[in-house]
Amino acid sequence: MTDTTRDSTSARKKRAPQTGELVATRIQPDLLAEIDAWRRDQPDLPSRPEALRRLAVKGLRGAKP
């Protein structure tokens, strides 16, 4: 039997300092491709969840009542 241990030299991703409510949704491949294209245009290449948060904020701030 082999002993498996975590490599302590690799950096682990840290959880965001603030937590929120989990919202799970399915996204169709064509929309996901557009989101990924938008992500690649950002200077810091955000994760998909971060990209969705940013796009939601942009959409809500641009929405008129």
Side-chain angles (χ1 to χ4, degrees):
M1 182 185 277
T2 62
D3 184 21
T4 58
T5 59
R6 190 177 294 224
D7 182 5
S8 61
T9 60
S10 64
R12 292 193 299 173
K13 277 191 165 181
K14 301 223 180 201
R15 182 179 285 244
Q18 295 179 353
T19 60
E21 187 168 339
L22 175 64
V23 178
T25 186
R26 292 186 186 271
I27 298 175
Q28 297 301 313
D30 55 336
L31 180 56
L32 190 57
E34 289 184 69
I35 293 166
D36 286 340
W38 183 88
R39 289 174 55 222
R40 284 189 294 276
D41 287 342
Q42 305 310 300
D44 60 342
L45 185 61
S47 64
R48 281 179 173 168
E50 178 60 22
L52 290 169
R53 284 189 286 270
R54 291 180 190 181
L55 288 166
V57 167
K58 287 173 71 77
L60 290 169
R61 289 187 180 155
K64 299 196 181 204

